[in-house]
Coordinates of all heavy atoms in Angstrom, one line a residue:
M1 N -18.3 -6.6 1.9 CA -18.0 -5.5 2.8 C -16.8 -4.7 2.2 O -15.8 -5.3 1.7 CB -17.7 -6.0 4.2 CG -17.5 -4.9 5.2 SD -17.5 -5.6 6.9 CE -16.4 -4.4 7.6
K2 N -16.9 -3.4 2.3 CA -15.9 -2.6 1.8 C -14.7 -2.6 2.6 O -14.7 -2.6 3.8 CB -16.5 -1.1 1.7 CG -16.0 -0.4 0.5 CD -16.9 0.8 0.2 CE -16.2 1.9 -0.5 NZ -15.2 1.5 -1.5
N3 N -13.6 -2.5 2.0 CA -12.3 -2.5 2.7 C -11.7 -1.1 2.7 O -11.1 -0.6 1.7 CB -11.3 -3.5 2.0 CG -10.1 -3.7 2.8 OD1 -9.7 -2.8 3.6 ND2 -9.4 -4.8 2.7
F4 N -11.9 -0.4 3.8 CA -11.6 1.0 3.9 C -10.1 1.2 3.9 O -9.6 2.1 3.2 CB -12.2 1.6 5.1 CG -13.7 1.5 5.1 CD1 -14.3 0.8 6.1 CD2 -14.4 2.1 4.1 CE1 -15.7 0.6 6.1 CE2 -15.8 2.0 4.1 CZ -16.5 1.2 5.1
A5 N -9.4 0.3 4.6 CA -7.9 0.5 4.6 C -7.4 0.4 3.2 O -6.5 1.1 2.8 CB -7.3 -0.6 5.5
E6 N -7.9 -0.6 2.4 CA -7.5 -0.8 1.1 C -7.7 0.5 0.2 O -6.9 0.9 -0.6 CB -8.1 -2.0 0.5 CG -7.5 -2.4 -0.9 CD -8.0 -3.7 -1.4 OE1 -8.9 -4.3 -0.7 OE2 -7.5 -4.2 -2.4
D7 N -8.9 1.1 0.4 CA -9.3 2.3 -0.3 C -8.2 3.4 -0.1 O -7.8 4.0 -1.1 CB -10.6 2.8 0.1 CG -11.8 2.0 -0.5 OD1 -11.5 1.2 -1.4 OD2 -12.9 2.3 -0.2
V8 N -7.8 3.6 1.1 CA -6.8 4.6 1.4 C -5.5 4.3 0.8 O -4.9 5.1 0.2 CB -6.6 4.8 3.0 CG1 -5.8 6.0 3.2 CG2 -8.0 4.9 3.7
I9 N -5.1 3.0 0.9 CA -3.8 2.6 0.3 C -3.8 2.8 -1.2 O -2.9 3.4 -1.7 CB -3.6 1.1 0.6 CG1 -3.4 0.8 2.1 CG2 -2.4 0.5 -0.2 CD1 -2.1 1.4 2.6
I10 N -4.9 2.4 -1.9 CA -5.0 2.6 -3.3 C -4.9 4.1 -3.7 O -4.2 4.5 -4.6 CB -6.2 1.9 -3.9 CG1 -6.1 0.4 -3.8 CG2 -6.5 2.3 -5.3 CD1 -7.3 -0.4 -4.1
E11 N -5.6 4.9 -2.9 CA -5.7 6.3 -3.2 C -4.3 6.9 -3.1 O -3.8 7.6 -4.0 CB -6.6 7.0 -2.2 CG -7.2 8.3 -2.7 CD -8.1 8.9 -1.6 OE1 -9.0 8.2 -1.2 OE2 -7.8 10.0 -1.2
V12 N -3.6 6.6 -2.0 CA -2.3 7.1 -1.8 C -1.3 6.6 -2.8 O -0.5 7.3 -3.3 CB -1.8 6.7 -0.4 CG1 -0.3 7.1 -0.2 CG2 -2.6 7.4 0.7
F13 N -1.5 5.3 -3.1 CA -0.6 4.7 -4.2 C -0.7 5.4 -5.5 O 0.3 5.7 -6.2 CB -0.9 3.2 -4.3 CG -0.2 2.5 -5.4 CD1 1.1 2.3 -5.4 CD2 -0.9 2.2 -6.6 CE1 1.8 1.7 -6.4 CE2 -0.2 1.6 -7.7 CZ 1.1 1.4 -7.6
E14 N -2.0 5.7 -5.9 CA -2.2 6.3 -7.2 C -1.5 7.7 -7.2 O -1.0 8.1 -8.2 CB -3.7 6.5 -7.5 CG -4.4 5.2 -7.6 CD -4.0 4.4 -8.8 OE1 -3.5 5.0 -9.8 OE2 -4.1 3.1 -8.8
E15 N -1.5 8.4 -6.1 CA -0.8 9.7 -6.0 C 0.7 9.5 -6.1 O 1.4 10.2 -6.8 CB -1.1 10.4 -4.7 CG -2.5 11.0 -4.6 CD -2.9 11.4 -3.2 OE1 -1.9 11.6 -2.4 OE2 -4.1 11.5 -2.9
I16 N 1.2 8.5 -5.4 CA 2.7 8.4 -5.3 C 3.3 7.9 -6.6 O 4.3 8.3 -7.0 CB 3.0 7.4 -4.2 CG1 2.8 8.1 -2.8 CG2 4.5 6.9 -4.3 CD1 3.3 7.2 -1.7
K17 N 2.6 6.9 -7.2 CA 3.3 6.3 -8.4 C 3.5 7.3 -9.5 O 4.4 7.2 -10.3 CB 2.4 5.2 -8.9 CG 1.1 5.6 -9.6 CD 0.6 4.4 -10.4 CE -0.6 5.0 -11.2 NZ -1.5 4.0 -11.6
N18 N 2.8 8.4 -9.5 CA 3.0 9.4 -10.6 C 4.2 10.3 -10.3 O 4.7 10.9 -11.2 CB 1.7 10.3 -10.6 CG 0.5 9.6 -11.1 OD1 0.6 8.7 -12.0 ND2 -0.6 9.9 -10.6
V19 N 4.6 10.4 -9.1 CA 5.8 11.1 -8.8 C 7.0 10.2 -8.6 O 8.1 10.6 -8.2 CB 5.6 12.0 -7.5 CG1 4.6 13.0 -7.7 CG2 5.3 11.1 -6.3
N20 N 6.8 9.0 -9.0 CA 7.8 8.0 -8.8 C 8.0 7.3 -10.2 O 7.6 6.1 -10.3 CB 7.5 7.0 -7.7 CG 8.7 6.4 -7.1 OD1 9.7 6.2 -7.7 ND2 8.6 6.1 -5.8
P21 N 8.7 7.9 -11.1 CA 8.8 7.4 -12.5 C 9.5 6.1 -12.6 O 9.4 5.3 -13.6 CB 9.5 8.5 -13.3 CG 10.2 9.3 -12.2 CD 9.4 9.2 -11.0
D22 N 10.3 5.8 -11.6 CA 11.1 4.5 -11.6 C 10.3 3.3 -11.4 O 10.6 2.2 -11.7 CB 12.2 4.6 -10.6 CG 13.3 5.6 -10.9 OD1 13.3 6.0 -12.1 OD2 14.0 6.0 -10.0
F23 N 9.1 3.5 -10.8 CA 8.3 2.4 -10.4 C 7.7 1.7 -11.6 O 7.1 2.4 -12.4 CB 7.3 2.8 -9.4 CG 6.4 1.6 -8.9 CD1 7.0 0.5 -8.3 CD2 5.1 1.6 -9.2 CE1 6.3 -0.6 -7.9 CE2 4.3 0.5 -8.9 CZ 4.9 -0.6 -8.2
C24 N 7.8 0.4 -11.6 CA 7.1 -0.4 -12.7 C 5.6 -0.2 -12.6 O 5.0 -0.3 -11.5 CB 7.6 -1.9 -12.5 SG 6.7 -3.0 -13.6
K25 N 5.0 0.0 -13.8 CA 3.6 0.3 -13.8 C 2.7 -1.0 -14.1 O 1.5 -0.9 -14.3 CB 3.2 1.3 -14.8 CG 4.0 2.6 -14.7 CD 3.4 3.5 -13.6 CE 3.8 5.0 -13.8 NZ 5.3 5.2 -13.6
C26 N 3.4 -2.1 -14.1 CA 2.6 -3.3 -14.5 C 1.6 -3.7 -13.3 O 1.8 -3.4 -12.2 CB 3.5 -4.5 -14.9 SG 4.1 -5.5 -13.5
E27 N 0.6 -4.5 -13.7 CA -0.4 -4.8 -12.8 C 0.1 -5.7 -11.6 O -0.4 -5.5 -10.5 CB -1.5 -5.5 -13.6 CG -2.8 -5.9 -12.8 CD -3.5 -4.6 -12.2 OE1 -3.3 -3.5 -12.8 OE2 -4.2 -4.7 -11.2
K28 N 1.0 -6.5 -11.9 CA 1.6 -7.4 -10.9 C 2.3 -6.6 -9.8 O 2.0 -6.8 -8.6 CB 2.6 -8.4 -11.5 CG 3.3 -9.3 -10.6 CD 2.5 -10.5 -10.3 CE 3.2 -11.4 -9.3 NZ 2.6 -11.5 -8.0
C29 N 3.1 -5.6 -10.2 CA 3.8 -4.8 -9.2 C 2.8 -3.9 -8.4 O 2.9 -3.7 -7.2 CB 4.8 -3.9 -9.9 SG 6.2 -4.9 -10.5
R30 N 1.8 -3.4 -9.2 CA 0.8 -2.6 -8.5 C 0.1 -3.4 -7.4 O 0.0 -2.9 -6.3 CB -0.2 -2.2 -9.6 CG -1.3 -1.3 -9.0 CD -2.3 -1.0 -10.1 NE -3.4 -0.1 -9.7 CZ -4.5 -0.4 -9.1 NH1 -4.7 -1.7 -8.9 NH2 -5.4 0.5 -8.8
R31 N -0.3 -4.6 -7.7 CA -1.0 -5.4 -6.7 C -0.1 -5.8 -5.6 O -0.5 -5.9 -4.4 CB -1.5 -6.7 -7.4 CG -3.0 -6.6 -7.6 CD -3.6 -7.9 -8.1 NE -3.5 -7.8 -9.6 CZ -3.5 -8.9 -10.4 NH1 -3.5 -10.1 -9.9 NH2 -3.5 -8.8 -11.7
D32 N 1.2 -6.0 -5.9 CA 2.2 -6.4 -4.8 C 2.3 -5.2 -3.9 O 2.3 -5.4 -2.6 CB 3.5 -6.7 -5.5 CG 3.6 -8.1 -6.0 OD1 2.7 -8.9 -5.7 OD2 4.6 -8.5 -6.6
V33 N 2.4 -4.0 -4.4 CA 2.6 -2.8 -3.5 C 1.4 -2.6 -2.6 O 1.5 -2.4 -1.4 CB 2.9 -1.6 -4.4 CG1 2.8 -0.3 -3.5 CG2 4.2 -1.6 -5.0
I34 N 0.2 -2.7 -3.2 CA -1.0 -2.5 -2.5 C -1.1 -3.6 -1.4 O -1.5 -3.3 -0.2 CB -2.2 -2.5 -3.4 CG1 -2.2 -1.2 -4.2 CG2 -3.5 -2.6 -2.6 CD1 -3.1 -1.2 -5.4
A35 N -0.9 -4.8 -1.7 CA -1.0 -5.9 -0.8 C 0.0 -5.7 0.4 O -0.3 -5.9 1.6 CB -0.8 -7.3 -1.5
L36 N 1.2 -5.4 0.0 CA 2.3 -5.2 1.1 C 1.9 -4.0 2.0 O 2.0 -4.1 3.2 CB 3.6 -4.9 0.4 CG 4.7 -5.9 0.5 CD1 5.9 -5.5 -0.4 CD2 5.2 -6.0 1.9
A37 N 1.5 -2.9 1.4 CA 1.2 -1.7 2.1 C 0.0 -2.0 3.1 O -0.1 -1.6 4.2 CB 0.9 -0.6 1.2
L38 N -0.9 -2.8 2.5 CA -2.1 -3.1 3.3 C -1.7 -4.0 4.5 O -2.2 -3.7 5.6 CB -3.1 -3.9 2.4 CG -4.5 -4.0 2.8 CD1 -5.0 -2.6 3.0 CD2 -5.3 -4.6 1.7
T39 N -0.8 -4.9 4.3 CA -0.3 -5.7 5.5 C 0.3 -4.8 6.5 O 0.1 -5.0 7.7 CB 0.7 -6.7 5.0 OG1 0.1 -7.5 3.9 CG2 1.2 -7.6 6.1
K40 N 1.1 -3.9 6.1 CA 1.8 -3.0 7.0 C 0.8 -2.1 7.8 O 0.9 -2.0 9.0 CB 2.7 -2.0 6.2 CG 4.0 -2.8 5.8 CD 4.8 -1.9 4.9 CE 6.0 -2.6 4.3 NZ 6.9 -3.2 5.4
I41 N -0.2 -1.5 7.1 CA -1.1 -0.6 7.8 C -2.0 -1.4 8.7 O -2.4 -1.0 9.7 CB -1.8 0.3 6.8 CG1 -2.2 1.5 7.6 CG2 -3.0 -0.4 6.2 CD1 -2.6 2.7 6.7
R42 N -2.3 -2.7 8.3 CA -3.2 -3.5 9.1 C -2.4 -3.8 10.4 O -3.0 -3.9 11.5 CB -3.5 -4.8 8.4 CG -4.6 -4.7 7.4 CD -5.8 -5.5 7.8 NE -6.9 -5.2 6.9 CZ -7.1 -5.8 5.7 NH1 -6.2 -6.6 5.3 NH2 -8.1 -5.5 5.0
G43 N -1.1 -4.1 10.3 CA -0.4 -4.4 11.5 C -0.4 -3.2 12.4 O -0.5 -3.3 13.6
R44 N -0.3 -2.0 11.8 CA -0.2 -0.8 12.6 C -1.6 -0.5 13.4 O -1.6 0.0 14.5 CB 0.1 0.4 11.7 CG 0.3 1.7 12.4 CD 0.8 2.7 11.4 NE 2.2 2.5 11.0 CZ 3.1 3.3 11.6 NH1 2.9 4.2 12.5 NH2 4.4 3.1 11.2
Y45 N -2.6 -0.9 12.7 CA -4.0 -0.7 13.3 C -4.6 -2.0 13.7 O -5.8 -2.1 13.7 CB -4.9 0.0 12.2 CG -4.4 1.5 12.0 CD1 -3.6 1.8 11.0 CD2 -4.9 2.5 12.9 CE1 -3.2 3.1 10.7 CE2 -4.5 3.8 12.7 CZ -3.6 4.1 11.6 OH -3.2 5.4 11.4
A46 N -3.8 -2.9 14.1 CA -4.3 -4.3 14.4 C -5.3 -4.2 15.6 O -6.2 -5.0 15.6 CB -3.1 -5.2 14.8
C47 N -5.2 -3.2 16.4 CA -6.0 -3.2 17.6 C -7.3 -2.3 17.3 O -8.2 -2.3 18.2 CB -5.3 -2.6 18.8 SG -3.8 -3.5 19.2
S48 N -7.4 -1.7 16.2 CA -8.5 -0.9 15.9 C -9.5 -1.6 15.0 O -9.0 -2.2 14.0 CB -8.2 0.5 15.3 OG -6.8 0.8 15.5
P49 N -10.8 -1.5 15.2 CA -11.7 -2.0 14.3 C -11.6 -1.2 13.0 O -11.3 -0.1 13.0 CB -13.1 -1.8 15.0 CG -12.9 -0.8 16.0 CD -11.4 -0.8 16.4
E50 N -11.9 -1.9 11.9 CA -11.9 -1.3 10.6 C -12.7 0.0 10.5 O -12.4 1.0 9.9 CB -12.4 -2.3 9.5 CG -12.1 -1.8 8.1 CD -10.9 -2.5 7.5 OE1 -10.0 -2.9 8.2 OE2 -10.9 -2.6 6.3
G51 N -13.9 -0.1 11.2 CA -14.7 1.1 11.2 C -14.1 2.3 11.8 O -14.4 3.4 11.4
E52 N -13.2 2.1 12.7 CA -12.5 3.3 13.3 C -11.6 3.9 12.3 O -11.5 5.1 12.2 CB -11.8 2.8 14.6 CG -11.2 4.0 15.4 CD -10.3 3.5 16.5 OE1 -10.7 2.6 17.2 OE2 -9.2 4.1 16.6
I53 N -10.9 3.0 11.6 CA -10.0 3.6 10.5 C -10.8 4.4 9.6 O -10.4 5.5 9.2 CB -9.3 2.4 9.8 CG1 -8.5 1.6 10.8 CG2 -8.4 3.0 8.7 CD1 -7.8 0.4 10.1
F54 N -11.9 3.8 9.2 CA -12.8 4.5 8.2 C -13.2 5.9 8.8 O -13.2 6.9 8.1 CB -14.0 3.7 7.9 CG -15.0 4.4 7.0 CD1 -14.6 4.8 5.7 CD2 -16.3 4.6 7.4 CE1 -15.5 5.4 4.9 CE2 -17.2 5.2 6.5 CZ -16.8 5.6 5.3
A55 N -13.7 5.9 10.0 CA -14.1 7.2 10.6 C -13.0 8.2 10.6 O -13.2 9.4 10.3 CB -14.5 6.9 12.1
R56 N -11.8 7.7 10.8 CA -10.7 8.7 10.8 C -10.3 9.1 9.4 O -10.0 10.3 9.2 CB -9.4 8.0 11.5 CG -9.7 7.8 13.0 CD -8.5 7.1 13.6 NE -7.3 8.0 13.6 CZ -6.1 7.7 14.1 NH1 -6.0 6.5 14.7 NH2 -5.1 8.5 14.1
V57 N -10.5 8.2 8.5 CA -10.2 8.5 7.1 C -11.2 9.5 6.6 O -10.9 10.5 5.9 CB -10.2 7.3 6.2 CG1 -10.2 7.6 4.7 CG2 -9.0 6.4 6.5
E58 N -12.5 9.3 7.0 CA -13.5 10.2 6.6 C -13.2 11.6 7.0 O -13.6 12.6 6.4 CB -14.8 9.8 7.2 CG -15.6 8.7 6.4 CD -16.6 9.4 5.5 OE1 -17.7 9.7 6.1 OE2 -16.3 9.5 4.4
Q59 N -12.6 11.7 8.2 CA -12.3 13.1 8.7 C -10.9 13.5 8.2 O -10.4 14.5 8.6 CB -12.2 13.0 10.2 CG -13.5 12.7 10.9 CD -13.2 12.0 12.3 OE1 -12.2 12.2 12.9 NE2 -14.2 11.3 12.8
S60 N -10.5 12.8 7.2 CA -9.2 13.1 6.6 C -8.1 13.2 7.7 O -7.3 14.1 7.7 CB -9.2 14.4 5.8 OG -10.1 14.3 4.8
D61 N -8.2 12.3 8.6 CA -7.2 12.2 9.7 C -5.8 12.2 9.1 O -5.4 11.3 8.3 CB -7.4 11.0 10.5 CG -6.6 10.9 11.8 OD1 -5.3 10.9 11.6 OD2 -7.2 11.0 12.8
R62 N -5.0 13.1 9.5 CA -3.7 13.3 8.9 C -2.8 12.1 9.3 O -1.9 11.8 8.5 CB -3.1 14.6 9.2 CG -3.8 15.8 8.6 CD -3.2 17.1 8.9 NE -1.8 17.2 8.4 CZ -1.0 18.1 8.7 NH1 -1.3 19.1 9.6 NH2 0.2 18.2 8.2
Q63 N -3.0 11.6 10.5 CA -2.1 10.5 10.9 C -2.4 9.3 10.1 O -1.4 8.6 9.7 CB -2.4 10.2 12.4 CG -1.4 9.3 13.0 CD 0.1 9.8 12.8 OE1 0.4 10.9 13.1 NE2 1.0 8.9 12.3
V64 N -3.6 9.0 9.8 CA -4.0 7.8 9.0 C -3.4 8.0 7.6 O -2.8 7.1 7.0 CB -5.5 7.6 8.9 CG1 -5.8 6.5 7.8 CG2 -6.1 7.2 10.2
R65 N -3.5 9.2 7.0 CA -2.9 9.4 5.7 C -1.4 9.3 5.7 O -0.8 8.7 4.8 CB -3.3 10.9 5.2 CG -4.8 11.2 5.2 CD -5.5 10.5 4.1 NE -4.9 10.9 2.8 CZ -5.5 10.6 1.6 NH1 -6.7 10.0 1.6 NH2 -5.0 11.0 0.5
A66 N -0.8 9.8 6.7 CA 0.6 9.7 6.8 C 1.1 8.3 7.0 O 2.1 7.9 6.4 CB 1.1 10.5 8.0
D67 N 0.3 7.5 7.8 CA 0.7 6.1 7.9 C 0.5 5.3 6.6 O 1.3 4.5 6.3 CB -0.2 5.4 9.0 CG 0.2 5.9 10.4 OD1 1.3 6.5 10.6 OD2 -0.7 5.7 11.3
A68 N -0.5 5.7 5.9 CA -0.8 5.0 4.6 C 0.3 5.4 3.6 O 0.9 4.5 2.9 CB -2.1 5.4 4.0
L69 N 0.7 6.6 3.6 CA 1.8 7.1 2.7 C 3.1 6.4 3.0 O 3.8 5.9 2.1 CB 2.0 8.6 2.9 CG 2.9 9.3 2.0 CD1 2.4 9.4 0.6 CD2 3.2 10.7 2.5
F70 N 3.4 6.3 4.3 CA 4.6 5.6 4.7 C 4.6 4.1 4.3 O 5.6 3.6 3.8 CB 4.7 5.7 6.2 CG 6.1 5.3 6.8 CD1 7.2 6.0 6.5 CD2 6.2 4.2 7.5 CE1 8.5 5.6 6.9 CE2 7.4 3.7 8.0 CZ 8.6 4.5 7.7
A71 N 3.4 3.5 4.5 CA 3.3 2.1 4.2 C 3.5 1.9 2.7 O 4.2 0.9 2.3 CB 1.9 1.5 4.7
V72 N 2.9 2.7 1.9 CA 3.0 2.6 0.5 C 4.4 2.9 0.0 O 4.9 2.1 -0.9 CB 2.0 3.6 -0.3 CG1 2.3 3.6 -1.8 CG2 0.6 3.2 0.0
M73 N 5.1 3.8 0.6 CA 6.4 4.1 0.2 C 7.4 3.0 0.5 O 8.3 2.6 -0.3 CB 6.9 5.4 0.8 CG 6.3 6.6 0.1 SD 7.0 8.3 0.5 CE 7.7 8.1 2.1
E74 N 7.2 2.4 1.6 CA 8.0 1.2 2.0 C 7.7 0.1 1.1 O 8.7 -0.6 0.6 CB 7.6 0.8 3.4 CG 8.5 1.4 4.5 CD 8.3 0.7 5.8 OE1 7.3 0.0 6.0 OE2 9.1 0.8 6.7
A75 N 6.5 -0.2 0.8 CA 6.1 -1.3 -0.1 C 6.7 -1.0 -1.5 O 7.2 -1.9 -2.2 CB 4.6 -1.4 -0.2
L76 N 6.6 0.2 -2.0 CA 7.2 0.6 -3.3 C 8.6 0.3 -3.4 O 9.1 -0.3 -4.4 CB 7.0 2.1 -3.5 CG 5.8 2.6 -4.3 CD1 5.8 4.1 -4.4 CD2 5.9 2.0 -5.7
E77 N 9.3 0.6 -2.3 CA 10.8 0.4 -2.3 C 11.1 -1.1 -2.4 O 12.0 -1.5 -3.1 CB 11.3 1.0 -1.0 CG 12.8 1.3 -1.0 CD 13.2 2.0 0.3 OE1 12.7 3.1 0.5 OE2 14.0 1.4 1.0
I78 N 10.3 -1.9 -1.6 CA 10.6 -3.3 -1.6 C 10.2 -3.9 -3.0 O 11.0 -4.7 -3.5 CB 9.7 -4.0 -0.5 CG1 10.2 -3.6 0.9 CG2 9.7 -5.5 -0.6 CD1 9.3 -3.9 2.0
V79 N 9.1 -3.6 -3.5 CA 8.7 -4.2 -4.8 C 9.6 -3.7 -5.9 O 9.9 -4.5 -6.8 CB 7.2 -3.8 -5.1 CG1 6.8 -4.3 -6.5 CG2 6.3 -4.5 -4.1
T80 N 10.1 -2.5 -5.8 CA 11.1 -2.0 -6.8 C 12.4 -2.8 -6.8 O 13.0 -3.1 -7.8 CB 11.3 -0.5 -6.7 OG1 10.1 0.2 -6.7 CG2 12.3 0.0 -7.7
K81 N 12.8 -3.1 -5.6 CA 14.0 -3.9 -5.4 C 13.8 -5.3 -5.8 O 14.7 -5.9 -6.3 CB 14.4 -3.8 -3.9 CG 15.7 -2.9 -3.7 CD 16.1 -3.0 -2.2 CE 16.4 -1.6 -1.7 NZ 16.5 -1.6 -0.2
Y82 N 12.7 -5.9 -5.4 CA 12.4 -7.3 -5.7 C 11.1 -7.5 -6.4 O 10.2 -8.0 -5.8 CB 12.4 -8.1 -4.3 CG 13.6 -7.8 -3.4 CD1 13.4 -7.0 -2.3 CD2 14.8 -8.4 -3.7 CE1 14.5 -6.8 -1.5 CE2 15.9 -8.2 -2.9 CZ 15.7 -7.4 -1.7 OH 16.8 -7.2 -0.9
P83 N 11.1 -7.1 -7.7 CA 9.9 -7.2 -8.4 C 9.5 -8.6 -8.7 O 10.4 -9.5 -8.8 CB 10.2 -6.4 -9.7 CG 11.6 -6.4 -9.8 CD 12.2 -6.5 -8.5
H84 N 8.2 -8.9 -8.7 CA 7.8 -10.3 -8.9 C 7.4 -10.6 -10.4 O 7.0 -11.7 -10.7 CB 6.6 -10.6 -8.0 CG 7.0 -10.8 -6.6 ND1 6.1 -11.0 -5.6 CD2 8.3 -10.8 -6.0 CE1 6.8 -11.1 -4.4 NE2 8.1 -11.0 -4.7
H85 N 7.4 -9.5 -11.2 CA 6.8 -9.6 -12.5 C 7.5 -10.6 -13.5 O 7.0 -11.2 -14.3 CB 6.6 -8.3 -13.2 CG 7.8 -7.4 -13.1 ND1 7.7 -6.0 -13.2 CD2 9.1 -7.7 -13.0 CE1 9.0 -5.6 -13.1 NE2 9.8 -6.5 -13.0
S86 N 8.9 -10.6 -13.3 CA 9.6 -11.4 -14.3 C 10.5 -12.5 -13.7 O 11.3 -13.1 -14.4 CB 10.5 -10.4 -15.1 OG 11.3 -9.7 -14.3
E87 N 10.4 -12.6 -12.4 CA 11.3 -13.6 -11.8 C 10.8 -15.0 -12.0 O 9.7 -15.2 -12.5 CB 11.4 -13.3 -10.3 CG 10.0 -13.6 -9.7 CD 10.1 -13.6 -8.2 OE1 11.1 -13.1 -7.6 OE2 9.1 -14.0 -7.6
D88 N 11.6 -16.0 -11.6 CA 11.2 -17.4 -11.8 C 10.6 -17.9 -10.6 O 10.3 -19.1 -10.5 CB 12.4 -18.2 -12.3 CG 13.5 -18.2 -11.3 OD1 13.3 -17.7 -10.2 OD2 14.6 -18.7 -11.6
D89 N 10.4 -17.1 -9.6 CA 9.7 -17.5 -8.4 C 10.5 -18.3 -7.4 O 10.0 -18.7 -6.4 CB 8.4 -18.2 -8.7 CG 7.2 -17.3 -8.6 OD1 7.4 -16.1 -8.4 OD2 6.0 -17.7 -8.8
S90 N 11.7 -18.6 -7.8 CA 12.5 -19.6 -7.0 C 13.1 -18.8 -5.8 O 13.5 -19.4 -4.8 CB 13.5 -20.3 -7.8 OG 14.4 -19.3 -8.4
L91 N 13.3 -17.5 -6.0 CA 14.1 -16.8 -5.0 C 13.2 -16.3 -3.8 O 13.6 -16.3 -2.7 CB 14.8 -15.6 -5.6 CG 15.9 -16.0 -6.6 CD1 16.4 -14.8 -7.3 CD2 17.0 -16.7 -5.8
S92 N 12.0 -15.8 -4.1 CA 11.3 -15.2 -3.1 C 9.9 -15.7 -3.0 O 8.9 -15.0 -2.8 CB 11.2 -13.7 -3.3 OG 10.6 -13.4 -4.6
K93 N 9.8 -17.0 -3.1 CA 8.4 -17.6 -2.9 C 8.0 -17.4 -1.5 O 8.7 -17.7 -0.6 CB 8.5 -19.1 -3.3 CG 7.2 -19.7 -3.5 CD 7.1 -20.4 -4.9 CE 5.7 -20.7 -5.2 NZ 5.5 -20.8 -6.7
K94 N 6.7 -17.0 -1.4 CA 6.2 -16.8 0.0 C 5.4 -17.9 0.5 O 4.5 -18.4 -0.3 CB 5.4 -15.5 0.0 CG 6.3 -14.3 0.0 CD 5.6 -13.0 0.4 CE 6.5 -11.8 0.1 NZ 5.8 -10.9 -0.7
Ligands
ZN1 ZN1 6.2 -5.0 -12.8

């Protein structure tokens, strides 16, 4: 089954990372940001079925896009501050 929320997050992320030269482009950080942003947007839409998010995304619902953008920016900030790519995993093991 397709994950619509993830599609939006990835799309927004691809847009943002290009205007954010400081952000590490490695695959690990990319996945961290997407996973984090996804968690955030899922929390926000916890009460809505995935299909509803998709319907709104299809209509280019500006609120959904704005929420996705916000989630990605927050995630970017966190991952930039605490990147997982080169740490020894002892500090921020989840
Ligand atoms: Zn990295």
Side-chain angles (χ1 to χ4, degrees):
M1 187 168 148
K2 216 161 156 35
N3 189 332
F4 302 116
E6 190 170 3
D7 281 355
V8 187
I9 292 292
I10 290 171
E11 202 183 305
V12 171
F13 171 74
E14 296 296 332
E15 284 169 24
I16 286 188
K17 71 166 192 202
N18 294 323
V19 295
N20 209 325
D22 292 340
F23 180 63
C24 173
K25 304 277 198 300
C26 83
E27 185 60 24
K28 175 87 180 110
C29 291
R30 179 184 187 272
R31 254 183 274 155
D32 277 354
V33 169
I34 290 168
L36 247 173
L38 204 49
T39 305
K40 286 175 185 299
I41 205 160
R42 281 248 173 79
R44 188 174 281 263
Y45 289 95
C47 302
S48 340
E50 191 100 334
E52 188 189 315
I53 300 176
F54 176 59
R56 294 181 64 177
V57 169
E58 274 266 279
Q59 296 155 19
S60 299
D61 188 296
R62 292 182 64 193
Q63 189 57 50
V64 171
R65 305 285 301 190
D67 287 344
L69 186 70
F70 189 69
V72 171
M73 286 192 333
E74 266 192 344
L76 262 177
E77 201 173 301
I78 292 166
V79 173
T80 301
K81 250 185 227 166
Y82 310 104
H84 287 175
H85 50 205
S86 59
E87 65 171 15
D88 59 10
D89 262 4
S90 59
L91 294 171
S92 58
K93 195 125 194 155
K94 286 195 188 128

